[in-house]
């Protein structure tokens, strides 16, 4: 609503009163009454509540802005510190990558060197096995002459030879314990020739005395008994025959017999060989060694005698033929003499 004023001249402007039209005053009164009527309806509790909520929201907004400002400042500080730490981590990571690459290169070079050394070692091992097989085969042939045994045992390397033989035999059967070794291999020929040489040495009286008088000789007998009674020999019939023959030759010596008798596991193994093996020579050599052990009066203890089953020997005598049967018959006779 706009008040309508009448136009006055300059002199009338100095007067304290203003002339208003009656219609304007009536209209003003009407509008005031309308405002009085509708104002309580508008300015109610909900409106004041809204204003109160608005004030709180404004306060929370101010607080949020302050918190946001603080967090932004903290974020900027954290980003700066994080970037610095990230740069340090990146530097360490780059350094580690360089070290890793260097180590990888060194590992590759060492692997190449190791492969080359393994190849060289394999070549040397093959050469040594071939050379050892050839030399020991010649030595085996030489040792067949009993006159040459004295020459073989006369040097200062004889005990070392016994040590080497024991270690070689044990090492060979430890290496090939789970597989059948080829009899054509240089390793097999090497061990076979060494064992054959010992067998020939034990065939001579001087050789038997030498073996039993030296710790290395008794150690070699222990090795022979160990590999013979274990399952590592497998189907190596030639080696088993040579070991049985070597032990038989040693048993001819009284000290050798007394030493062999102490190997209680040997008697049971000999009976097992005679019962289950198919090779006739192997069974005969086992029977000869058994005969050599039981034929000497008072050589066996009562425990050893009880470990040999007479019914088993009797059944073997009935089931065998030829020289094996004759040998087992003598074994049975000797055992029966113990029991009477």
């Amino acid at each position: 609503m706009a008040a309508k004023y009448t136009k006055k001249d300059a002199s009338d402007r100095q007067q304290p009163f203003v002339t208003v039209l009656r219609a304007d005053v009536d209209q003003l009164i009407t509008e005031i009454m309308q405002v009085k009527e509708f104002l309580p309806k508008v300015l109610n509790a909900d409106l004041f509540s809204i204003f109160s909520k608005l004030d709180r929201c404004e306060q929370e907004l101010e607080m949020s802005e302050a918190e946001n400002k603080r967090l932004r400042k903290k974020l900027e500080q954290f980003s700066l510190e994080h970037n610095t730490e990230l740069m340090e981590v990146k530097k360490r990571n780059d350094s580690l990558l360089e070290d890793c690459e260097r180590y990888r290169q060194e590992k590759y070079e060492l692997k190449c060197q190791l492969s080359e050394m393994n190849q060289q070692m394999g070549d040397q091992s093959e050469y040594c096995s071939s050379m050892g097989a050839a030399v020991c085969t010649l030595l085996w042939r030489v040792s067949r002459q009993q006159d040459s045994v004295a020459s073989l045992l006369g040097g200062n390397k004889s005990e070392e030879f016994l040590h080497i033989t024991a270690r070689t035999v044990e090492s060979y059967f430890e290496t090939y314990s789970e597989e059948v070794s080829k009899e054509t291999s240089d390793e097999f020929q090497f061990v076979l020739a060494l064992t054959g040489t010992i067998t020939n040495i034990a065939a001579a009286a001087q050789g038997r005395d030498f073996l039993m008088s030296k710790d290395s000789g008794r150690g070699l007998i222990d090795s022979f008994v160990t590999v013979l009674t274990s399952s590592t020999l497998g189907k190596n019939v030639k080696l088993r025959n040579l070991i049985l023959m070597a032990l038989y030759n040693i048993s001819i010596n009284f000290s050798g017999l007394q030493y062999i008798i102490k190997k209680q596991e040997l008697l049971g193994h000999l009976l097992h060989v005679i019962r289950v093996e198919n090779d006739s020579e192997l069974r005969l050599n086992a029977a000869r060694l058994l005969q050599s052990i039981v034929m000497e009066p008072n050589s066996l203890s009562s425990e050893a005698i009880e470990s040999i089953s007479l019914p088993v020997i009797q059944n073997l005598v009935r089931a065998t033929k030829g020289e094996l049967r004759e040998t087992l018959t003598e074994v049975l006779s000797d055992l029966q003499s113990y029991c009477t």
Side-chain angles (χ1 to χ4, degrees):
M1 179 188 67
K4 296 182 180 180
Y5 296 94
T6 59
K7 188 177 180 180
K8 302 292 184 178
D9 56 16
S11 60
D12 293 336
R13 295 176 183 172
Q14 303 296 325
Q15 296 179 4
F17 298 101
V18 177
T19 301
V20 181
L21 296 177
R22 180 66 185 179
D24 295 335
V25 172
D26 292 339
Q27 185 177 358
L28 179 62
I29 292 171
T30 301
E31 293 178 355
I32 291 172
M33 292 177 66
Q34 291 176 349
V35 169
K36 287 182 178 181
E37 182 180 356
F38 291 105
L39 188 61
K41 297 179 180 180
V42 176
L43 300 177
N44 54 17
D46 293 337
L47 182 62
F48 287 111
S49 175
I50 291 173
F51 276 107
S52 178
K53 290 180 180 179
L54 181 61
D55 290 338
R56 288 198 301 271
C57 289
E58 289 179 351
Q59 293 176 2
E60 291 177 358
L61 179 61
E62 291 177 357
M63 294 174 60
S64 298
E65 289 178 350
E67 181 68 14
N68 187 25
K69 185 176 180 181
R70 186 183 67 81
L71 291 176
R72 284 180 178 275
K73 185 176 180 180
K74 188 175 181 180
L75 179 62
E76 291 176 357
Q77 183 180 0
F78 176 77
S79 298
L80 181 61
E81 295 176 354
H82 180 70
N83 289 335
T84 303
E85 183 179 356
L86 185 62
M87 291 298 294
E88 294 178 356
V89 171
K90 188 175 183 303
K91 289 180 181 179
R92 290 198 300 269
N93 183 60
D94 293 340
S95 176
L96 290 174
L97 288 176
E98 292 177 359
D99 293 340
C100 181
E101 186 64 27
R102 186 175 67 255
Y103 292 149
R104 185 179 300 170
Q105 183 65 26
E106 292 178 357
K107 179 181 178 181
Y108 175 75
E109 294 175 357
L110 290 174
K111 188 176 180 180
C112 292
Q113 294 177 8
L114 180 61
S115 178
E116 183 179 355
M117 292 179 64
N118 285 335
Q119 182 63 37
Q120 293 177 359
M121 181 179 283
D123 294 340
Q124 292 176 2
S125 177
E126 184 177 352
Y127 172 78
C128 291
S129 298
S130 178
M131 175 64 73
V135 171
C136 287
T137 299
L138 294 175
L139 184 62
W140 187 8
R141 293 176 182 175
V142 171
S143 65
R144 292 174 182 174
Q145 305 296 326
Q146 292 195 7
D147 295 340
S148 63
V149 173
S151 300
L152 292 175
L153 301 178
N156 56 2
K157 294 292 184 179
S158 54
E159 287 193 62
E160 184 177 353
F161 174 74
L162 298 181
H163 280 297
I164 292 174
T165 302
R167 289 199 303 268
T168 302
V169 171
E170 291 178 355
S171 175
Y172 177 79
F173 288 112
E174 287 175 359
T175 303
Y176 296 97
S177 60
E178 297 182 356
E179 59 183 87
V180 178
S181 58
K182 297 181 179 179
E183 295 186 357
T184 57
S185 65
D186 290 332
E187 291 85 355
F188 181 83
Q189 294 298 324
F190 182 29
V191 176
L192 187 71
L194 282 175
T195 307
T197 302
I198 297 299
T199 301
N200 290 341
I201 290 175
Q206 183 178 357
R208 293 190 290 270
D209 291 338
F210 182 84
L211 289 172
M212 294 311 304
S213 64
K214 305 295 182 181
D215 291 337
S216 56
R218 292 188 292 271
L220 179 58
I221 295 172
D222 294 339
S223 298
F224 278 177
V225 173
T226 298
V227 299
L228 182 66
T229 56
S230 66
S231 60
T232 56
L233 271 172
K235 300 299 182 180
N236 294 309
V237 176
K238 291 183 179 180
L239 272 174
R240 297 167 73 186
N241 274 318
L242 284 176
I243 292 176
L244 287 171
M245 292 169 64
L247 294 176
Y248 172 79
N249 291 339
I250 293 171
S251 69
I252 298 175
N253 181 281
F254 182 75
S255 298
L257 177 62
Q258 296 300 315
Y259 192 80
I260 291 176
I261 288 174
K262 296 178 183 179
K263 311 297 180 181
Q264 297 182 0
E265 69 276 14
L266 184 58
L267 291 175
H269 179 74
L270 294 177
L271 283 175
H272 176 76
V273 170
I274 299 170
R275 291 174 57 191
V276 303
E277 292 292 342
N278 296 324
D279 186 80
S280 58
E281 184 179 1
L282 188 66
R283 299 176 69 193
L284 180 59
N285 284 326
R288 286 175 176 172
L289 179 56
L290 181 62
Q291 179 193 14
S292 180
I293 293 175
V294 302
M295 70 181 298
E296 188 70 25
N298 301 323
S299 62
L300 292 177
S301 63
S302 57
E303 292 80 4
I305 295 173
E306 292 176 357
S307 66
I308 303 175
S309 175
L310 289 179
V312 172
I313 301 295
Q314 291 172 349
N315 291 333
L316 288 173
V317 170
R318 288 191 294 267
T320 55
K321 299 178 182 180
E323 189 175 359
L324 177 59
R325 182 175 184 177
E326 294 176 2
T327 304
L328 290 175
T329 301
E330 294 179 4
V331 171
L332 181 61
S333 177
D334 291 332
L335 288 175
Q336 288 174 341
S337 66
Y338 278 111
C339 298
T340 57

